[in-house]
């Protein structure tokens, strides 16, 4: 059987075989690497800038010049006029001449409702300007009145389905009257301009003062009773106000959401007038000045707005169990101090022994339901004996040796209920000296190894089955495994 070599694809440029190591692909055809260049300018091509047309390769510029659209504005980037005579447009009876202010050009007329709203011609993507979903020519996208060129930021859609600049839109469709003119000056705009547009269907704003439109009782502005529309609405306690009515009731200062104060008479005030009318009166209360404020208010006016006022709130007795634990008076939010869920006056929140003022960092709650500073709490409820107190030694007042008291644990007084006190001494354990283990609570002084007496903490604590606590060494000797290899270091055989 004779040998037949494998047929390789042919290069579209030179007609010779193309092998895999040198092939280039474009438009489903294969080319040599050296043949992969523009057929007009000879520029070497790659996959990003090649265009294939009927088996021939072109760069993008040459392809656009040879096969692209012809006419004004087309041609490799330069706005040149091509030699096309436009014979393909002269034979079409639907062609109209644009009335756009730029150079007149022939535009193919589109079906009704599909073309440019201004000239009626077809609108292509390269020259399209959108307004309310309708496409305009870029040259037709101008103000209907002053013919100013518009863009997406400057144009305004009128109710007559036309586009206007902002100034013409305000003059034609904006509010009329003093201060409304659609431009920078303030003056009375004459409505004679409407005579120019009598045939248009756009509505005309005639109402100037919205306060004259009265609302239903309880639904309008609390100051004037008029209907409040969204464009002029200001809210205070869920009630809408006109922006021009949102002023202080006393001094008529214009208010906003920062400086407005809602009074108990359901009106609004500035901060100064609110403080004068509804704030505390007397020495030291006058918007910052330390003098006796009178403000022309009579005693009857003060008593009418405030049924009872006494600067000493401790004299206002609270129900049993609800007031200050020290004085029994009513505690208000401005002077409130908390300790274990009870409320105290700020001036009553001091140490019961030395009367030192306290705060949340210095206060200690005692078992007598009082508060103490740390020093007084340690003297009253802290541990007693050698090493405890303000001096590092045990003071002997009767001349006896302090060696008689080697153990500082309590040995007198009433013990705690079974299971409630210290697991070693049985006395009550307070929060300031409490240590916790798996088997119970301990005094800090009792929290030591049961065998060697070494002080323990949470890192070297071992709870034993007998309810005691041990250090690691003593726990291993007492409850650890026995035999060869177990012990305190040497692999010796214990005699246990």
């Amino acid at each position: 059987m004779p040998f037949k070599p494998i047929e390789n694809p042919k290069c579209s440029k030179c007609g010779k075989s193309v092998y895999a190591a040198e092939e280039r692909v474009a438009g489903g055809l294969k080319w040599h690497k050296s043949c992969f260049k523009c057929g007009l300018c000879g520029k070497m091509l790659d996959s990003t800038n090649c265009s294939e047309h009927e088996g021939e390769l072109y760069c993008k510029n040459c392809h656009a010049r040879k096969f692209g659209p012809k006419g004004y504005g087309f041609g490799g980037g330069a706005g040149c006029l091509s030699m096309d005579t436009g014979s393909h447009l002269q034979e079409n009876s639907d062609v109209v001449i644009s009335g756009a202010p730029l150079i007149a050009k022939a535009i193919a007329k589109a079906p009704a409702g599909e073309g440019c709203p201004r000239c009626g011609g077809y609108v292509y993507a390269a020259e399209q300007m959108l307004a309310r979903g309708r496409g305009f020519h870029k040259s037709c996208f101008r103000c209907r009145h002053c013919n100013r060129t518009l863009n997406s930021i400057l144009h305004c859609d009128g109710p007559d389905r036309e586009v206007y600049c902002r100034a013409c839109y305000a003059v034609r469709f904006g509010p009329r009257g003093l201060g409304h003119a659609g431009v920078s000056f303030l003056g009375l705009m004459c409505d004679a301009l409407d005579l120019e547009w009598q045939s248009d269907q756009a509505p005309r704003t005639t109402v100037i003062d919205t306060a004259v439109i009265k609302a239903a009782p309880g639904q309008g502005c609390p100051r004037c009773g008029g209907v409040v529309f969204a464009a002029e609405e200001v809210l205070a306690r869920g009630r809408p106000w006109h922006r021009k009515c949102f002023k202080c009731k006393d001094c008529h200062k214009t208010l906003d959401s920062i400086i407005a104060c809602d009074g108990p008479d359901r009106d609004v005030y500035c901060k100064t007038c609110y403080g004068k009318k509804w704030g505390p009166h007397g020495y030291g209360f006058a918007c910052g000045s330390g003098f006796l404020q009178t403000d022309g208010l009579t005693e009857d006016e003060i008593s009418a707005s405030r049924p009872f006022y006494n600067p000493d709130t401790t004299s206002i007795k609270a129900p049993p169990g609800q007031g200050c634990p020290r004085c029994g008076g009513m505690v208000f939010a401005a002077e409130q101090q908390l300790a274990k869920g009870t409320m105290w006056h700020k001036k009553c929140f001091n140490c019961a022994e030395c009367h030192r003022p306290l705060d949340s960092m210095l206060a200690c709650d005692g078992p007598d339901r009082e508060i103490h500073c740390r020093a007084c709490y340690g003297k009253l409820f802290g541990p007693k004996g050698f090493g405890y107190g303000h001096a590092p030694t045990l003071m002997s007042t009767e001349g006896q040796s302090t060696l008689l008291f080697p153990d500082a644990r309590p040995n007198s007084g009433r013990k705690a209920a079974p299971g409630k006190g210290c697991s070693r001494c049985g006395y009550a354990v307070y929060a300031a000296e409490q240590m916790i283990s798996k088997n119970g609570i301990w005094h800090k002084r009792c929290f030591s190894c049961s065998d060697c007496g070494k002080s323990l903490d949470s890192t070297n604590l071992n709870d034993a089955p007998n309810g005691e606590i041990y250090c690691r060494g003593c726990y291993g000797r007492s409850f650890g495994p026995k035999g060869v290899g177990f012990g305190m270091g040497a692999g010796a055989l214990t005699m246990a």
Side-chain angles (χ1 to χ4, degrees), residues 106-177:
I107 300 177
K109 191 173 182 181
E114 297 183 9
C116 174
R118 187 67 55 83
C119 68
Y122 277 106
V123 182
Y124 299 98
E127 56 178 349
Q128 187 182 57
M129 300 293 289
L130 292 176
R132 282 196 175 177
R134 298 176 301 156
F136 287 75
H137 290 117
K138 193 172 184 179
S139 58
C140 298
F141 200 62
R142 293 171 173 269
C143 176
R144 181 72 175 84
H145 182 61
C146 67
N147 211 29
R148 177 185 178 184
T149 302
L150 303 177
N151 56 28
S152 60
I153 298 177
L154 299 176
H155 89 279
C156 297
D157 299 291
D160 55 354
R161 298 181 61 82
E162 276 289 352
V163 288
Y164 298 88
C165 64
R166 292 183 178 178
C168 294
Y169 182 89
V171 171
R172 190 168 186 184
F173 305 109
R176 307 298 162 82

Side-chain angles (χ1 to χ4, degrees), residues 170-178 180 188-189 191 194 202-213 229:
V171 171
R172 190 168 186 184
F173 305 109
R176 307 298 162 82
L178 181 65
H180 299 286
L188 184 61
M189 189 183 76
D191 290 344
D194 294 337
R204 187 175 61 185
T205 305
T206 56
V207 177
I208 299 174
D209 188 7
T210 57
V212 300
I213 308 175
F229 298 96

Side-chain angles (χ1 to χ4, degrees), residues 43-93:
K43 176 184 177 181
M44 298 302 295
L45 305 176
D46 55 28
S47 60
T48 63
N49 61 359
C50 70
S51 298
E52 186 269 338
H53 186 83
E54 296 180 355
E56 189 67 42
L57 287 177
Y58 300 94
C59 64
K60 290 190 175 182
N61 288 336
C62 294
H63 184 271
R65 283 198 295 267
K66 189 169 183 179
F67 305 105
K70 303 295 189 297
Y72 180 77
F74 297 100
C80 58
L81 184 62
S82 73
M83 301 305 294
D84 190 0
T85 60
S87 58
H88 63 288
L89 297 175
Q90 295 174 0
E91 299 174 358
N92 192 351
S93 59

